[in-house]
Amino acid sequence: MNVIDPRIHQALDGELASEAVPVELRRAVAQIAAAADLLAASPPGPAMSLESRVMAEIRRPAPSRAWRLIRWLVTPRAIILRVRPAWSVAFAAVVAALTLFTAGDEGPELAEHEGIAQFVGRFPEAQSVHVVGTFNDWRPGSIALEDQDHDGVWRATVVLPAGTYEYMFVVDGERWVPDHLAERLVADDFGRENSIVIVRPARR
Amino acid sequence: MKRWVVLALAAFLALPLAAQSVRGRLEGRIPSAAIPAVDSLIQFASQEGLPTDPLIQKALEGGAKHVPGPRIVAAVQVSLGQLRDARDLLVRAGDQPPVLPAEMTTVAWALRRGLAAPLVERVVAALARPPRAAAMHAVADLVAHRFDPDSAAQLIIEAVHDGVPRERLLEVSTAALQQVQRGHTRAEAFAIVRGQLPNLPASARPPRGNVAGARRLASPAPP
């Protein structure tokens, strides 16, 4: 612990004349006296009372709407959500049902070697349209086309191994019609023409 | 020696079983009067090592279309002739007998679709067995879209030699068709696609709506 020489105390208190202070202590006495003067001096500028500071804050111009909006958006807030357990269970059930429904709507998964064949034909007066070909052993009735909006355009989409197939439409179970929109027609050796569809492997 | 006896016995037992299964597929599907003749043609094909499924398919097609029996038999006979032509072509092109049934089916199908025999022979001679069927489909696809047959065959052969895998060969023809749709001539389309080989742009994923409603057959017959 540093012990201040008692003669420094006496000099600072005015009990000891500066000439009487030994030379080696005079510098320390001068420094301490200067520091005491600095502390005793008042801060620069006029001192503000509490009242004037509050009034200055009140008189400050209000921030713009945009600034307030930004502050509102970036300020973190606590949200308290009160939910009845019955409602949360119902919400979870709805989400699960929607997920299942959407998953079912995506259709079958396609393997690397598989592709999609779309069969479309316009038969306004038809009651039923089927597609028959080498992909289903020419078995009538196995792939029905649908006309869901009753505009006379019948459609079916089938997953098939990639390759080339011959086919025809069977309208109302008895009328065999080639698909004239097909990429190619080929003689069927029975005096008619089969349509040809090329199923390209689908990339997923 | 013992192995040969077992194989002969197995063949002896298998042939009647196969014949029975063929008759089973035909019964109720084609006029019963035509079944013996069709069956005997199928037996001939089997004995010659030719594929029998195309003949059965032709008979079933005739039956489904309510074609009279004699015409079904005639059509099956024509198909048998096409398969024999296909086998001869494959041997001429350098395949060692016995020729694979799948190869014969592919070549017969290509000839049936109007590809000239010399063109088919050229593709067969240029390519090894595995990519041949896919290559033939791609050439036939291009020819069906009025591309020059020789140039089409050349492009597909080059694609195979450049390393385009067989499952992507149809994408070569698709890419050429797309160039024509963009306004290029067929010759220009070939030149553009040739410049892209072997890195063809991947074919478009089928639209989600198309896949969504797609049905999968229980057991689709192979192409």
Side-chain angles (χ1 to χ4, degrees):
Chain A
M1 185 178 169
N2 288 334
V3 178
I4 297 176
D5 192 310
R7 287 171 294 179
I8 292 175
H9 283 292
Q10 287 172 341
L12 291 172
D13 293 343
E15 293 168 5
L16 191 65
S18 56
E19 304 86 55
V21 177
V23 178
E24 68 272 14
L25 295 179
R26 280 181 191 169
R27 193 157 172 256
V29 170
Q31 283 176 342
I32 292 169
D37 290 343
L38 198 63
L39 285 172
S42 58
M48 289 178 77
S49 66
L50 177 66
E51 184 188 345
S52 55
R53 273 184 288 162
V54 169
M55 290 310 291
E57 193 69 24
I58 290 168
R59 288 192 195 106
R60 204 164 63 176
S64 67
R65 280 188 176 186
W67 178 244
R68 277 184 290 168
L69 179 67
I70 290 167
R71 274 185 62 181
W72 184 83
L73 286 172
V74 299
T75 307
R77 283 159 209 290
I79 297 173
I80 298 167
L81 195 63
R82 294 175 190 277
V83 182
R84 292 175 202 275
W87 283 115
S88 55
V89 169
F91 178 74
V94 168
V95 169
L98 280 174
T99 308
L100 285 172
F101 179 74
T102 313
D105 201 31
E106 282 177 358
E109 274 294 313
L110 299 185
E112 275 288 305
H113 67 287
E114 288 181 326
I116 296 285
Q118 278 196 298
F119 300 100
V120 182
R122 183 167 159 72
F123 304 104
E125 306 298 324
Q127 299 300 309
S128 73
V129 181
H130 290 84
V131 61
V132 185
T134 50
F135 40 76
N136 62 355
D137 264 357
W138 296 96
R139 196 178 288 278
S142 65
I143 306 174
L145 278 72
E146 292 172 354
D147 178 15
Q148 288 180 337
D149 44 9
H150 306 289
D151 59 354
V153 179
W154 296 73
R155 293 182 173 84
T157 310
V158 184
V159 177
L160 289 173
T164 306
Y165 300 89
E166 293 181 25
Y167 68 98
M168 282 184 90
F169 292 131
V170 183
V171 181
D172 294 335
E174 53 185 26
R175 197 156 55 93
W176 286 71
V177 184
D179 179 2
H180 291 289
L181 297 174
E183 293 187 64
R184 182 94 197 266
L185 298 171
V186 63
D188 70 349
D189 299 331
F190 299 118
R192 294 176 183 166
E193 284 183 318
N194 288 335
S195 307
I196 286 179
V197 60
I198 297 176
V199 178
R200 299 163 202 281
R203 295 183 168 268
R204 305 207 80 183
Chain B
M1 184 68 184
K2 205 172 177 180
R3 187 186 294 172
W4 283 111
V5 172
V6 171
L7 281 174
L9 193 63
F12 181 74
L13 290 172
L15 273 173
L17 283 174
Q20 192 63 33
S21 74
V22 168
R23 275 180 172 267
R25 279 180 78 180
L26 296 176
E27 275 166 9
R29 301 284 309 274
I30 68 170
S32 52
I35 290 180
V38 171
D39 191 37
S40 67
L41 288 171
I42 290 168
Q43 295 310 315
F44 282 142
S46 181
Q47 285 160 13
E48 291 180 38
L50 299 171
T52 55
D53 206 58
L55 306 180
I56 297 168
Q57 283 281 341
K58 185 50 71 183
L60 293 176
E61 180 186 346
K65 291 178 176 175
H66 304 295
V67 173
R71 289 194 69 182
I72 294 177
V73 175
V76 173
Q77 207 151 15
V78 168
S79 296
L80 179 59
Q82 288 169 343
L83 288 169
R84 284 178 177 144
D85 290 346
R87 178 194 56 201
D88 296 345
L89 185 149
L90 283 159
V91 172
R92 265 202 320 273
D95 272 20
Q96 295 298 315
V99 180
L100 293 178
E103 296 291 313
M104 284 184 267
T105 306
T106 300
V107 169
W109 169 87
L111 294 173
R112 195 172 131 70
R113 279 197 67 183
L115 293 188
L119 187 76
V120 176
E121 204 171 321
R122 182 179 162 200
V123 175
V124 167
L127 302 177
R129 276 174 176 166
R132 247 186 225 164
M136 213 73 82
H137 282 294
V139 173
D141 190 21
L142 288 167
V143 173
H145 289 92
R146 295 183 287 115
F147 283 90
D148 172 57
D150 283 324
S151 306
Q154 186 58 35
L155 177 70
I156 298 302
I157 290 168
E158 279 178 30
V160 173
H161 289 162
D162 282 357
V164 175
R166 62 179 161 174
E167 62 273 13
R168 295 201 65 191
L169 285 175
L170 267 175
E171 287 174 22
V172 178
S173 59
T174 307
L177 286 171
Q178 282 171 348
Q179 293 303 330
V180 171
Q181 284 163 1
R182 286 175 190 160
H184 295 286
T185 65
R186 284 172 167 70
E188 286 169 348
F190 272 168
I192 293 168
V193 173
R194 189 172 281 120
Q196 291 174 333
L197 293 176
N199 302 312
L200 291 161
S203 60
R205 178 187 294 199
R208 187 176 163 161
N210 291 357
V211 184
R215 277 173 276 172
R216 186 183 287 282
L217 302 184
S219 53

